[in-house]
């Protein structure tokens, strides 16, 4: 009987790839599970938004979603779920709005004070520390002089959604 000797190489790389495939499969399952666990928060957020606010274009409601990521540095978590209002460029372009949905969501969640809509209106902000006023000029060409926005009363829908569904999600 003749014995044939041959060598195969690449088993170390194959073993590494198989280990990564196993990890990738684990991550895929973990991401899917976390996404399903976060779904009640997302659904509640969308429902509360429609209860509190009118959605004329659908941009904000369509921008409420869940993002699940696997962090590179896993010292604090294997997977992270973020539920909220995210920038949705295609939705923004289709509705013709200039301002991103997360900006609108912040204003609706926290409210705004009355402010001028006139061109070159002054935005006053306080710097940290000595409470000095800093004036910053903004330009809004085409706006009527003297127009005043009455402000928006806060109508929270993000934080209450999280608070009411966190136990269920966990």
């Amino acid at each position: 009987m003749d014995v044939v000797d041959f060598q195969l190489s690449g088993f170390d790389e194959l073993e590494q790839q198989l280990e990564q495939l196993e990890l990738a499969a684990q991550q895929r399952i973990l991401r899917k599970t976390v996404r399903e666990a976060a779904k009640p928060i997302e659904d509640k957020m969308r429902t509360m938004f429609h209860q509190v606010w009118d959605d004329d274009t659908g941009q904000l409601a369509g921008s409420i979603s869940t993002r699940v990521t696997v962090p590179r540095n896993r010292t604090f978590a294997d997977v992270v779920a973020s539920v909220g209002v995210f920038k949705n460029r295609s939705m923004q372009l289709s509705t013709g709005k200039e301002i991103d949905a997360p900006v609108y969501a912040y204003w609706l969640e926290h409210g705004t004070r009355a402010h001028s809509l006139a061109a070159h209106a002054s935005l006053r902000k306080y710097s940290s520390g000595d409470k000095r006023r800093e004036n910053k000029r903004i330009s809004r060409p085409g706006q009527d002089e003297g127009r005043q926005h009455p402000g928006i009363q806060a109508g929270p829908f993000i934080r209450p959604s999280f608070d009411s569904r966190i136990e269920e999600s966990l």
Side-chain angles (χ1 to χ4, degrees):
M1 182 153 67
D2 290 323
V3 177
V4 178
D5 240 358
F6 60 94
Q7 286 188 334
L8 295 175
S9 62
F11 280 108
D12 291 338
E13 292 86 2
L14 177 61
E15 186 176 337
Q16 288 175 349
Q17 288 178 353
L18 289 175
E19 286 176 2
Q20 287 177 354
L21 178 62
E22 184 179 320
L23 180 61
Q26 289 175 6
Q27 289 175 349
R28 187 172 53 249
I29 291 167
L30 186 57
R31 281 194 305 263
K32 182 179 179 185
T33 303
V34 169
R35 185 177 305 281
E36 288 174 12
K39 189 74 171 142
I41 297 172
E42 180 183 334
D43 293 342
K44 180 71 173 180
M45 193 177 300
R46 197 171 281 114
T47 300
M48 285 191 74
F49 170 72
H50 286 298
Q51 288 173 352
V52 177
W53 299 102
D54 292 327
D55 193 12
D56 60 341
T57 64
Q59 177 189 4
L60 204 145
S63 299
I64 295 173
S65 64
T66 302
R67 291 187 177 171
V68 179
T69 57
V70 176
R72 292 184 195 271
N73 180 359
R74 297 200 194 141
T75 56
F76 68 96
D78 291 329
V79 67
V80 175
S82 303
V83 182
V85 180
F86 297 101
K87 189 173 184 173
N88 186 334
R89 195 76 171 141
S90 62
M91 181 73 71
Q92 184 179 356
L93 292 173
S94 69
T95 59
K97 296 289 185 179
E98 292 181 28
I99 300 175
D100 299 330
V103 175
Y104 280 122
Y106 181 85
W107 291 339
L108 298 178
E109 183 82 2
H110 298 284
T112 64
R113 65 174 194 246
H115 55 277
S116 173
L117 295 175
H120 303 291
S122 174
L123 292 179
R124 291 186 193 126
K125 72 176 189 180
Y126 294 97
S127 63
S128 60
D130 62 356
K131 299 283 185 195
R132 259 191 350 226
R133 277 194 183 184
E134 297 176 7
N135 289 330
K136 180 180 175 184
R137 297 283 177 192
I138 60 170
S139 178
R140 291 192 191 109
Q143 295 289 342
D144 295 335
E145 292 294 324
R147 288 187 57 200
Q148 185 80 3
H149 188 283
I152 302 170
Q153 185 175 356
F157 62 96
I158 297 171
R159 184 61 192 220
S161 303
F162 178 80
D163 290 341
S164 68
R165 293 289 197 251
I166 190 63
E167 293 294 325
E168 181 181 346
S169 291
L170 290 176

